[in-house]
Amino acid sequence: MKKKLMSVLLAGSMVLSLAACGETAADTTTSSDNAEAQTETQTETQSADTTETAAATSEVAGTQEAVRLLNGKPEINDQMQALAAKYLEETGNVLTVETIGGDTNASDELKKMYQADNMPDIFVIEANQAANWDGMLADLSGEEWTNKTGFELVDSTMGTIGFPYTVEATALGYNADILAKAGIDPSTLTSPDAWKAACETLDSKKDELGITAVFGWCAEPTNLGWSSGTHVFGQYLDAGLKADDTTYIDLLNDGGKIDEARMKNFAEFIGMMNQYSDPALLVDGTYDNQVAGFKEGKYVFITQGNWCITSPADVNFECGFAPYAFEDGINTIIAGPPSYWVAYSNGNVEGAKAFFNWCAGDSAQNILVNDAGLVSPFDDCQYEAVNPFYKSMNSYITAGNYSGWHTMLKKDGLQNETCNVFADYAKGKLDADGFVSTMAQVISAYYAQ
Protein backbone atom coordinates (compact mmCIF):
# COMPACT_ATOMS: atom_id res chain seq x y z
CA MET A 1 0.00 0.00 0.00
CA LYS A 2 1.65 3.21 -1.13
CA LYS A 3 -0.64 5.59 0.71
CA LYS A 4 0.22 6.43 4.30
CA LEU A 5 -2.35 6.37 7.04
CA MET A 6 -1.67 8.75 9.89
CA SER A 7 -0.51 6.81 12.93
CA VAL A 8 -3.04 6.78 15.71
CA LEU A 9 -2.22 8.91 18.75
CA LEU A 10 -4.05 7.64 21.75
CA ALA A 11 -4.99 9.97 24.57
CA GLY A 12 -6.88 9.54 27.82
CA SER A 13 -7.53 6.41 29.77
CA MET A 14 -9.69 3.52 28.61
CA VAL A 15 -11.72 1.07 30.63
CA LEU A 16 -9.60 -1.85 31.78
CA SER A 17 -9.97 -4.81 29.45
CA LEU A 18 -7.66 -7.55 28.35
CA ALA A 19 -9.65 -8.35 25.24
CA ALA A 20 -7.28 -8.88 22.34
CA CYS A 21 -8.06 -8.57 18.68
CA GLY A 22 -8.51 -11.81 16.87
CA GLU A 23 -11.49 -13.30 18.65
CA THR A 24 -13.86 -15.14 16.38
CA ALA A 25 -16.93 -17.24 16.30
CA ALA A 26 -16.63 -20.93 16.99
CA ASP A 27 -16.39 -21.90 13.36
CA THR A 28 -12.93 -22.57 12.01
CA THR A 29 -14.08 -22.19 8.43
CA THR A 30 -15.03 -18.53 8.78
CA SER A 31 -12.90 -15.84 7.19
CA SER A 32 -10.80 -13.02 8.48
CA ASP A 33 -13.29 -10.63 9.82
CA ASN A 34 -15.33 -13.28 11.47
CA ALA A 35 -12.09 -13.90 13.22
CA GLU A 36 -11.07 -10.29 13.52
CA ALA A 37 -14.26 -8.67 14.35
CA GLN A 38 -15.40 -10.96 17.07
CA THR A 39 -12.28 -9.91 18.74
CA GLU A 40 -14.47 -7.13 20.00
CA THR A 41 -17.24 -9.31 21.20
CA GLN A 42 -17.39 -12.72 22.58
CA THR A 43 -15.83 -15.86 21.12
CA GLU A 44 -13.05 -17.36 19.10
CA THR A 45 -12.42 -20.28 16.89
CA GLN A 46 -9.78 -22.68 18.12
CA SER A 47 -9.14 -23.57 21.71
CA ALA A 48 -5.85 -22.69 23.35
CA ASP A 49 -5.93 -26.25 24.63
CA THR A 50 -5.44 -27.40 21.05
CA THR A 51 -2.72 -24.87 20.29
CA GLU A 52 -0.54 -25.72 17.36
CA THR A 53 3.13 -24.90 17.34
CA ALA A 54 5.66 -24.67 14.57
CA ALA A 55 9.36 -25.41 14.33
CA ALA A 56 9.82 -25.83 18.05
CA THR A 57 11.81 -29.04 17.75
CA SER A 58 14.22 -28.02 15.03
CA GLU A 59 17.90 -28.63 15.55
CA VAL A 60 18.84 -25.43 13.72
CA ALA A 61 20.64 -23.09 16.10
CA GLY A 62 19.29 -19.56 15.86
CA THR A 63 20.67 -16.29 17.12
CA GLN A 64 17.61 -15.51 19.23
CA GLU A 65 15.68 -17.31 21.94
CA ALA A 66 12.39 -18.80 20.78
CA VAL A 67 9.55 -16.31 20.38
CA ARG A 68 5.93 -17.15 21.23
CA LEU A 69 3.26 -15.50 19.09
CA LEU A 70 -0.41 -15.71 20.09
CA ASN A 71 -2.42 -15.82 16.88
CA GLY A 72 -6.04 -14.71 17.06
CA LYS A 73 -6.85 -15.40 13.39
CA PRO A 74 -7.51 -19.13 13.27
CA GLU A 75 -8.45 -19.05 9.62
CA ILE A 76 -4.79 -18.37 8.77
CA ASN A 77 -3.32 -20.79 11.30
CA ASP A 78 -1.79 -23.02 8.60
CA GLN A 79 -0.18 -20.04 6.92
CA MET A 80 1.18 -18.81 10.26
CA GLN A 81 2.73 -22.22 10.84
CA ALA A 82 4.30 -21.98 7.37
CA LEU A 83 5.56 -18.52 8.30
CA ALA A 84 7.23 -19.92 11.40
CA ALA A 85 8.83 -22.70 9.38
CA LYS A 86 10.17 -20.19 6.84
CA TYR A 87 11.50 -17.99 9.63
CA LEU A 88 13.38 -20.97 11.05
CA GLU A 89 14.71 -21.93 7.63
CA GLU A 90 16.05 -18.47 6.83
CA THR A 91 17.26 -17.27 10.22
CA GLY A 92 17.62 -20.32 12.44
CA ASN A 93 15.32 -18.61 14.93
CA VAL A 94 12.29 -20.35 16.39
CA LEU A 95 8.83 -18.80 16.28
CA THR A 96 6.18 -20.76 18.16
CA VAL A 97 2.69 -19.92 16.89
CA GLU A 98 -0.14 -20.57 19.33
CA THR A 99 -3.63 -20.21 17.88
CA ILE A 100 -6.61 -19.69 20.16
CA GLY A 101 -10.31 -19.73 19.55
CA GLY A 102 -13.23 -22.09 19.86
CA ASP A 103 -14.89 -21.63 23.21
CA THR A 104 -11.92 -19.66 24.48
CA ASN A 105 -12.37 -15.91 24.81
CA ALA A 106 -9.15 -14.07 23.97
CA SER A 107 -9.48 -11.62 26.84
CA ASP A 108 -9.99 -14.46 29.29
CA GLU A 109 -7.06 -16.37 27.84
CA LEU A 110 -4.73 -13.38 28.12
CA LYS A 111 -5.87 -12.77 31.70
CA LYS A 112 -5.03 -16.37 32.52
CA MET A 113 -1.67 -16.09 30.81
CA TYR A 114 -0.86 -12.87 32.63
CA GLN A 115 -1.90 -14.23 36.03
CA ALA A 116 0.12 -17.39 35.44
CA ASP A 117 3.18 -15.39 34.35
CA ASN A 118 2.87 -17.16 31.01
CA MET A 119 2.46 -14.25 28.61
CA PRO A 120 3.36 -14.71 24.93
CA ASP A 121 6.09 -12.49 23.53
CA ILE A 122 3.80 -11.25 20.75
CA PHE A 123 0.01 -10.88 20.85
CA VAL A 124 -2.74 -8.85 19.17
CA ILE A 125 -4.50 -5.71 20.36
CA GLU A 126 -6.82 -3.13 18.88
CA ALA A 127 -5.90 0.53 19.10
CA ASN A 128 -8.38 1.23 21.89
CA GLN A 129 -6.87 -1.51 24.03
CA ALA A 130 -3.39 0.03 24.18
CA ALA A 131 -4.04 1.88 27.44
CA ASN A 132 -4.94 -1.42 29.08
CA TRP A 133 -1.35 -2.50 28.55
CA ASP A 134 0.33 0.74 29.64
CA GLY A 135 3.87 -0.03 30.74
CA MET A 136 3.70 -3.60 29.44
CA LEU A 137 4.40 -3.07 25.73
CA ALA A 138 7.81 -2.63 24.15
CA ASP A 139 8.61 0.56 22.26
CA LEU A 140 9.47 -0.43 18.70
CA SER A 141 10.56 3.04 17.60
CA GLY A 142 13.52 3.10 15.26
CA GLU A 143 13.16 -0.46 14.04
CA GLU A 144 13.91 -1.01 10.36
CA TRP A 145 10.35 -1.99 9.46
CA THR A 146 8.98 1.36 10.66
CA ASN A 147 10.64 3.04 7.67
CA LYS A 148 8.55 1.00 5.26
CA THR A 149 5.02 1.76 6.41
CA GLY A 150 2.83 4.56 7.66
CA PHE A 151 0.44 2.15 9.34
CA GLU A 152 2.27 1.49 12.60
CA LEU A 153 0.43 2.14 15.88
CA VAL A 154 1.92 5.05 17.79
CA ASP A 155 0.90 5.85 21.36
CA SER A 156 1.46 9.33 22.77
CA THR A 157 3.22 7.97 25.87
CA MET A 158 4.42 4.48 24.98
CA GLY A 159 5.89 5.25 21.56
CA THR A 160 5.61 2.95 18.55
CA ILE A 161 3.92 -0.12 19.95
CA GLY A 162 1.99 -1.80 17.14
CA PHE A 163 3.25 -3.79 14.15
CA PRO A 164 0.65 -3.75 11.32
CA TYR A 165 0.40 -7.25 9.91
CA THR A 166 -2.39 -6.42 7.45
CA VAL A 167 -4.57 -3.64 6.10
CA GLU A 168 -8.29 -4.25 5.94
CA ALA A 169 -11.19 -2.34 4.47
CA THR A 170 -14.90 -2.34 5.13
CA ALA A 171 -17.80 -0.79 3.24
CA LEU A 172 -20.65 -2.33 1.27
CA GLY A 173 -19.12 -5.13 -0.75
CA TYR A 174 -20.85 -5.70 -4.07
CA ASN A 175 -21.23 -8.19 -6.89
CA ALA A 176 -20.13 -6.15 -9.93
CA ASP A 177 -21.61 -8.59 -12.42
CA ILE A 178 -25.13 -8.23 -11.04
CA LEU A 179 -24.86 -4.45 -10.93
CA ALA A 180 -23.73 -4.44 -14.57
CA LYS A 181 -26.70 -6.62 -15.58
CA ALA A 182 -29.02 -4.19 -13.80
CA GLY A 183 -27.40 -1.20 -15.51
CA ILE A 184 -26.10 0.31 -12.26
CA ASP A 185 -22.71 2.00 -12.09
CA PRO A 186 -21.40 1.54 -8.52
CA SER A 187 -19.28 4.69 -8.81
CA THR A 188 -22.52 6.72 -8.79
CA LEU A 189 -23.60 5.42 -5.36
CA THR A 190 -22.49 8.49 -3.43
CA SER A 191 -25.83 9.85 -2.20
CA PRO A 192 -28.97 8.57 -0.46
CA ASP A 193 -31.05 9.26 -3.57
CA ALA A 194 -28.69 7.25 -5.77
CA TRP A 195 -28.81 4.36 -3.34
CA LYS A 196 -32.60 4.46 -3.13
CA ALA A 197 -32.92 4.38 -6.91
CA ALA A 198 -30.47 1.50 -7.17
CA CYS A 199 -32.29 -0.51 -4.52
CA GLU A 200 -35.64 0.01 -6.22
CA THR A 201 -34.19 -1.11 -9.56
CA LEU A 202 -32.52 -4.20 -8.14
CA ASP A 203 -35.56 -5.17 -6.10
CA SER A 204 -37.83 -4.88 -9.14
CA LYS A 205 -35.53 -7.19 -11.10
CA LYS A 206 -34.95 -9.88 -8.47
CA ASP A 207 -36.33 -12.69 -10.61
CA GLU A 208 -34.53 -11.51 -13.71
CA LEU A 209 -31.23 -11.18 -11.83
CA GLY A 210 -31.72 -14.37 -9.84
CA ILE A 211 -31.20 -12.72 -6.47
CA THR A 212 -32.92 -13.24 -3.14
CA ALA A 213 -32.43 -9.70 -1.85
CA VAL A 214 -30.50 -6.53 -2.53
CA PHE A 215 -28.57 -6.67 0.76
CA GLY A 216 -26.97 -9.50 2.64
CA TRP A 217 -27.19 -7.69 5.98
CA CYS A 218 -27.52 -9.45 9.31
CA ALA A 219 -28.36 -7.57 12.53
CA GLU A 220 -28.50 -10.67 14.76
CA PRO A 221 -26.69 -9.45 17.91
CA THR A 222 -25.53 -12.64 19.63
CA ASN A 223 -23.20 -13.93 16.95
CA LEU A 224 -22.90 -10.95 14.63
CA GLY A 225 -22.95 -8.08 17.10
CA TRP A 226 -19.28 -7.52 16.35
CA SER A 227 -20.28 -6.69 12.77
CA SER A 228 -23.16 -4.29 13.40
CA GLY A 229 -21.80 -2.84 16.65
CA THR A 230 -18.33 -2.16 15.30
CA HIS A 231 -18.08 -2.10 11.52
CA VAL A 232 -21.51 -0.86 10.53
CA PHE A 233 -21.61 1.56 13.46
CA GLY A 234 -18.13 2.67 12.40
CA GLN A 235 -19.60 4.10 9.22
CA TYR A 236 -21.52 6.64 11.30
CA LEU A 237 -18.20 7.64 12.86
CA ASP A 238 -16.11 7.89 9.72
CA ALA A 239 -17.95 7.64 6.39
CA GLY A 240 -17.01 10.58 4.18
CA LEU A 241 -14.18 11.76 6.45
CA LYS A 242 -10.47 11.85 5.70
CA ALA A 243 -8.33 9.29 7.46
CA ASP A 244 -7.08 11.75 10.09
CA ASP A 245 -10.48 13.33 10.80
CA THR A 246 -11.58 12.31 14.32
CA THR A 247 -14.62 14.58 14.62
CA TYR A 248 -17.20 11.98 15.56
CA ILE A 249 -15.00 9.58 17.51
CA ASP A 250 -13.83 12.55 19.59
CA LEU A 251 -17.45 13.50 20.22
CA LEU A 252 -18.26 9.91 21.13
CA ASN A 253 -15.36 9.65 23.55
CA ASP A 254 -16.37 12.94 25.19
CA GLY A 255 -18.85 11.27 27.48
CA GLY A 256 -20.72 9.32 24.82
CA LYS A 257 -22.08 12.16 22.70
CA ILE A 258 -23.48 11.79 19.19
CA ASP A 259 -24.35 14.14 16.36
CA GLU A 260 -28.09 13.52 16.16
CA ALA A 261 -28.52 14.97 12.67
CA ARG A 262 -25.79 12.74 11.27
CA MET A 263 -27.13 9.76 13.21
CA LYS A 264 -30.61 10.39 11.76
CA ASN A 265 -29.23 10.31 8.22
CA PHE A 266 -27.36 7.14 9.09
CA ALA A 267 -30.53 5.63 10.58
CA GLU A 268 -32.49 6.28 7.42
CA PHE A 269 -29.82 4.56 5.36
CA ILE A 270 -29.85 1.55 7.69
CA GLY A 271 -33.65 1.56 7.40
CA MET A 272 -33.25 1.23 3.64
CA MET A 273 -30.92 -1.71 4.17
CA ASN A 274 -33.46 -3.33 6.49
CA GLN A 275 -36.18 -2.86 3.89
CA TYR A 276 -34.24 -4.48 1.05
CA SER A 277 -32.55 -7.28 2.99
CA ASP A 278 -33.42 -10.96 3.15
CA PRO A 279 -35.76 -11.05 6.20
CA ALA A 280 -34.51 -14.45 7.32
CA LEU A 281 -30.89 -13.34 7.25
CA LEU A 282 -31.57 -9.91 8.72
CA VAL A 283 -33.00 -11.11 12.02
CA ASP A 284 -31.79 -14.67 12.57
CA GLY A 285 -28.89 -15.20 10.17
CA THR A 286 -25.28 -16.07 10.81
CA TYR A 287 -21.99 -14.89 9.38
CA ASP A 288 -21.71 -18.10 7.37
CA ASN A 289 -25.24 -17.61 5.95
CA GLN A 290 -24.37 -14.05 5.01
CA VAL A 291 -21.09 -14.84 3.27
CA ALA A 292 -22.40 -17.98 1.58
CA GLY A 293 -25.38 -16.06 0.20
CA PHE A 294 -23.10 -13.39 -1.24
CA LYS A 295 -20.76 -15.98 -2.76
CA GLU A 296 -23.72 -17.73 -4.36
CA GLY A 297 -25.01 -14.50 -5.92
CA LYS A 298 -28.14 -14.36 -3.72
CA TYR A 299 -27.24 -10.88 -2.43
CA VAL A 300 -25.90 -7.93 -4.42
CA PHE A 301 -24.34 -6.20 -1.40
CA ILE A 302 -22.80 -7.50 1.81
CA THR A 303 -22.05 -5.60 5.03
CA GLN A 304 -18.54 -6.93 5.55
CA GLY A 305 -14.98 -6.19 4.49
CA ASN A 306 -12.26 -7.73 2.37
CA TRP A 307 -11.85 -10.51 4.96
CA CYS A 308 -15.10 -12.20 3.93
CA ILE A 309 -13.80 -13.28 0.51
CA THR A 310 -10.08 -14.04 0.52
CA SER A 311 -9.49 -16.11 -2.61
CA PRO A 312 -10.44 -15.62 -6.28
CA ALA A 313 -11.59 -19.24 -6.21
CA ASP A 314 -14.33 -18.30 -3.74
CA VAL A 315 -16.41 -16.37 -6.27
CA ASN A 316 -17.06 -16.34 -10.00
CA PHE A 317 -17.74 -12.61 -10.23
CA GLU A 318 -15.89 -9.34 -9.74
CA CYS A 319 -16.07 -7.87 -6.24
CA GLY A 320 -15.96 -4.21 -5.27
CA PHE A 321 -16.75 -1.73 -2.52
CA ALA A 322 -19.39 1.00 -2.43
CA PRO A 323 -19.64 3.63 0.32
CA TYR A 324 -22.34 3.92 2.96
CA ALA A 325 -23.48 7.18 1.36
CA PHE A 326 -26.07 8.22 3.94
CA GLU A 327 -25.25 11.86 3.16
CA ASP A 328 -24.64 13.48 -0.21
CA GLY A 329 -21.06 13.20 -1.42
CA ILE A 330 -19.86 10.35 0.81
CA ASN A 331 -17.31 8.48 -1.30
CA THR A 332 -15.01 6.73 1.18
CA ILE A 333 -14.46 3.27 2.55
CA ILE A 334 -12.86 2.56 5.93
CA ALA A 335 -9.32 1.27 5.49
CA GLY A 336 -6.29 0.62 7.66
CA PRO A 337 -5.08 -1.90 10.24
CA PRO A 338 -7.93 -2.86 12.57
CA SER A 339 -5.46 -4.53 14.93
CA TYR A 340 -1.74 -4.87 15.57
CA TRP A 341 0.88 -7.27 16.84
CA VAL A 342 2.59 -5.96 19.97
CA ALA A 343 5.61 -7.12 21.95
CA TYR A 344 5.26 -7.86 25.67
CA SER A 345 7.87 -5.73 27.48
CA ASN A 346 8.71 -8.47 30.00
CA GLY A 347 9.05 -11.09 27.28
CA ASN A 348 11.59 -11.76 24.57
CA VAL A 349 11.61 -8.23 23.19
CA GLU A 350 14.75 -8.61 21.10
CA GLY A 351 13.38 -11.78 19.57
CA ALA A 352 10.10 -10.07 18.80
CA LYS A 353 11.89 -7.14 17.18
CA ALA A 354 13.96 -9.50 15.05
CA PHE A 355 10.83 -11.30 13.91
CA PHE A 356 9.02 -8.06 13.07
CA ASN A 357 11.92 -6.87 10.93
CA TRP A 358 12.01 -10.20 9.11
CA CYS A 359 8.22 -10.27 8.79
CA ALA A 360 8.25 -6.98 6.89
CA GLY A 361 10.55 -8.59 4.32
CA ASP A 362 9.95 -10.47 1.10
CA SER A 363 9.65 -14.07 2.30
CA ALA A 364 7.13 -13.33 5.00
CA GLN A 365 5.10 -10.97 2.85
CA ASN A 366 4.92 -13.63 0.15
CA ILE A 367 3.27 -16.03 2.60
CA LEU A 368 0.99 -13.46 4.23
CA VAL A 369 -0.18 -11.95 0.94
CA ASN A 370 -0.21 -14.85 -1.49
CA ASP A 371 -1.08 -17.68 0.88
CA ALA A 372 -2.98 -16.03 3.74
CA GLY A 373 -4.78 -13.53 1.50
CA LEU A 374 -3.80 -10.51 3.58
CA VAL A 375 -3.13 -7.01 2.22
CA SER A 376 0.39 -5.81 2.94
CA PRO A 377 0.87 -2.54 4.85
CA PHE A 378 4.46 -2.21 3.61
CA ASP A 379 5.47 0.17 0.82
CA ASP A 380 8.10 -2.08 -0.72
CA CYS A 381 5.98 -5.23 -0.85
CA GLN A 382 6.13 -6.55 -4.41
CA TYR A 383 3.09 -8.79 -4.06
CA GLU A 384 -0.36 -7.63 -5.03
CA ALA A 385 -3.03 -9.11 -2.87
CA VAL A 386 -5.03 -11.91 -4.43
CA ASN A 387 -8.07 -10.83 -2.43
CA PRO A 388 -11.01 -10.27 -4.83
CA PHE A 389 -11.77 -6.92 -3.17
CA TYR A 390 -8.19 -5.66 -3.48
CA LYS A 391 -8.55 -3.87 -6.82
CA SER A 392 -11.50 -1.81 -5.59
CA MET A 393 -9.99 -1.32 -2.15
CA ASN A 394 -6.70 -0.10 -3.58
CA SER A 395 -8.44 2.33 -5.94
CA TYR A 396 -10.01 4.11 -2.96
CA ILE A 397 -6.76 4.19 -1.02
CA THR A 398 -4.59 5.46 -3.86
CA ALA A 399 -7.17 8.17 -4.56
CA GLY A 400 -7.15 9.19 -0.90
CA ASN A 401 -10.82 8.26 -0.54
CA TYR A 402 -10.54 6.30 2.65
CA SER A 403 -11.49 6.93 6.25
CA GLY A 404 -9.74 5.72 9.39
CA TRP A 405 -10.61 2.74 11.59
CA HIS A 406 -11.70 5.10 14.38
CA THR A 407 -14.40 2.66 15.45
CA MET A 408 -11.51 0.81 17.10
CA LEU A 409 -10.98 3.82 19.39
CA LYS A 410 -14.44 3.80 20.94
CA LYS A 411 -14.84 2.72 24.56
CA ASP A 412 -14.10 -0.98 24.59
CA GLY A 413 -17.26 -3.07 24.80
CA LEU A 414 -19.61 -0.42 23.42
CA GLN A 415 -20.34 -2.66 20.44
CA ASN A 416 -22.09 -5.11 22.75
CA GLU A 417 -24.67 -2.41 23.49
CA THR A 418 -25.09 -0.72 20.10
CA CYS A 419 -25.59 -4.04 18.30
CA ASN A 420 -28.87 -4.53 20.16
CA VAL A 421 -30.16 -1.21 18.85
CA PHE A 422 -29.48 -2.37 15.28
CA ALA A 423 -31.32 -5.61 16.06
CA ASP A 424 -34.38 -3.86 17.46
CA TYR A 425 -34.47 -1.57 14.43
CA ALA A 426 -34.28 -4.55 12.11
CA LYS A 427 -37.15 -6.25 13.99
CA GLY A 428 -39.34 -3.16 13.61
CA LYS A 429 -39.32 -2.31 17.30
CA LEU A 430 -37.84 1.12 16.47
CA ASP A 431 -38.33 3.63 13.70
CA ALA A 432 -35.54 5.94 12.50
CA ASP A 433 -36.20 8.50 15.24
CA GLY A 434 -36.34 5.72 17.82
CA PHE A 435 -33.05 4.37 16.53
CA VAL A 436 -31.43 7.76 17.07
CA SER A 437 -32.85 8.37 20.53
CA THR A 438 -32.09 4.83 21.69
CA MET A 439 -28.55 5.01 20.36
CA ALA A 440 -28.07 8.28 22.22
CA GLN A 441 -29.37 6.80 25.47
CA VAL A 442 -27.45 3.54 25.21
CA ILE A 443 -24.16 5.21 24.34
CA SER A 444 -24.45 7.90 26.98
CA ALA A 445 -25.27 5.31 29.65
CA TYR A 446 -22.34 3.11 28.66
CA TYR A 447 -19.87 5.97 28.81
CA ALA A 448 -21.25 6.98 32.20
CA GLN A 449 -20.35 3.63 33.71
Side-chain angles (χ1 to χ4, degrees), residues 70-336:
L70 191 67
N71 172 39
K73 293 176 71 66
E75 75 282 3
I76 63 167
N77 175 68
D78 291 347
Q79 293 85 351
M80 288 299 297
Q81 304 299 334
L83 190 75
K86 191 68 173 178
Y87 186 52
L88 176 64
E89 174 190 332
E90 293 193 353
T91 68
N93 297 328
V94 174
L95 175 74
T96 301
V97 177
E98 303 173 5
T99 295
I100 62 174
D103 295 328
T104 304
N105 184 285
S107 61
D108 292 341
E109 191 61 30
L110 281 168
K111 287 177 184 178
K112 293 175 185 176
M113 288 180 164
Y114 181 75
Q115 292 167 355
D117 194 22
N118 185 35
M119 284 291 291
D121 302 300
I122 298 171
F123 56 97
V124 183
I125 69 167
E126 297 165 15
N128 67 347
Q129 295 165 346
N132 304 330
W133 298 94
D134 191 11
M136 293 183 279
L137 302 180
D139 186 354
L140 308 173
S141 302
E143 291 299 304
E144 180 183 351
W145 64 266
T146 63
N147 297 321
K148 302 195 295 183
T149 183
F151 288 107
E152 68 269 31
L153 177 62
V154 179
D155 180 82
S156 57
T157 59
M158 290 184 278
T160 299
I161 55 172
F163 177 92
Y165 58 91
T166 187
V167 172
E168 293 188 341
T170 182
L172 284 161
Y174 63 74
N175 181 323
D177 292 2
I178 294 177
L179 289 180
K181 289 178 183 177
I184 297 171
D185 180 355
S187 69
T188 65
L189 300 177
T190 57
S191 71
D193 287 344
W195 268 103
K196 181 179 179 182
C199 288
E200 290 173 349
T201 296
L202 291 165
D203 189 63
S204 69
K205 296 182 177 182
K206 283 195 297 187
D207 292 340
E208 175 186 340
L209 298 171
I211 62 174
T212 301
V214 177
F215 291 98
W217 151 229
C218 181
E220 196 284 321
T222 303
N223 297 304
L224 267 171
W226 56 264
S227 178
S228 58
T230 295
H231 302 113
V232 178
F233 179 77
Q235 300 294 334
Y236 155 76
L237 294 174
D238 281 304
L241 276 59
K242 294 298 184 182
D244 59 352
D245 190 334
T246 60
T247 298
Y248 299 105
I249 185 64
D250 289 345
L251 188 65
L252 189 75
N253 287 333
D254 183 18
K257 300 173 184 176
I258 66 168
D259 183 310
E260 293 196 0
R262 180 174 169 90
M263 185 65 81
K264 177 62 180 298
N265 292 332
F266 177 68
E268 290 176 347
F269 191 91
I270 298 300
M272 178 192 70
M273 288 169 47
N274 291 342
Q275 178 183 352
Y276 291 105
S277 291
D278 179 353
L281 178 70
L282 178 64
V283 176
D284 295 315
T286 67
Y287 177 83
D288 287 346
N289 298 150
Q290 183 187 34
V291 175
F294 181 70
K295 287 180 179 180
E296 294 165 8
K298 292 171 59 177
Y299 309 129
V300 186
F301 298 99
I302 186 171
T303 57
Q304 291 294 340
N306 63 293
W307 53 80
C308 72
I309 309 290
T310 58
S311 170
D314 291 340
V315 292
N316 61 2
F317 52 84
E318 182 182 348
C319 296
F321 280 128
Y324 282 71
F326 55 86
E327 295 178 341
D328 289 345
I330 288 180
N331 65 344
T332 67
I333 63 172
I334 290 177

Side-chain angles (χ1 to χ4, degrees), residues 1-2 144-145 147-149 360-362 365 376-383:
M1 310 301 293
K2 299 298 181 183
E144 180 183 351
W145 64 266
N147 297 321
K148 302 195 295 183
T149 183
D362 185 78
Q365 292 302 300
S376 177
F378 295 101
D379 298 338
D380 62 350
C381 178
Q382 64 175 311
Y383 305 109

